[in-house]
Amino acid sequence: MPNIKSAIKRVKTTEKAKARNIAIKSAMRTAVRKADAALIAKEENAAELLSAAVKSLDKAASKGLIHKNAASRTKARLMKKA
């Protein structure tokens, strides 16, 4: 643990940001997985799940959690299945 006050604050904010990033990335992966499964099974709510997956991919890319090209590539693969 650091001794300097600003470094202590930095550790706290980094931990908060890390937890937030993990949550957003996890939600994104779940949304993509659900949309992919729904598209393969040709379920009725596949369009809604696809929309949610695209939204979560865009959000993760805008936050810098994944590269914008990786988000675009994943969206293109999902759209190809749709």
Side-chain angles (χ1 to χ4, degrees):
M1 192 69 186
N3 295 326
I4 298 168
K5 190 174 184 179
S6 62
I8 292 168
K9 288 180 183 178
R10 195 71 207 139
V11 167
K12 288 180 184 178
T13 56
T14 303
E15 286 173 357
K16 279 185 190 176
K18 184 179 178 184
R20 193 179 318 116
N21 290 343
I22 289 170
I24 292 171
K25 204 166 188 178
S26 175
M28 177 204 66
R29 287 190 189 121
T30 303
V32 169
R33 206 176 299 119
K34 283 183 180 179
D36 193 32
L39 289 168
I40 290 170
K42 297 188 186 331
E43 293 179 12
E44 295 174 9
N45 62 345
E48 295 168 14
L49 292 172
L50 179 64
S51 172
V54 168
K55 183 178 178 182
S56 65
L57 282 164
D58 287 336
K59 185 175 182 180
S62 71
K63 301 274 183 207
L65 297 178
I66 59 171
H67 196 273
K68 63 177 185 160
N69 291 353
S72 180
R73 181 176 62 243
T74 309
K75 286 191 290 186
R77 287 176 180 166
L78 286 172
M79 294 297 179
K80 194 174 181 182
K81 289 177 185 175

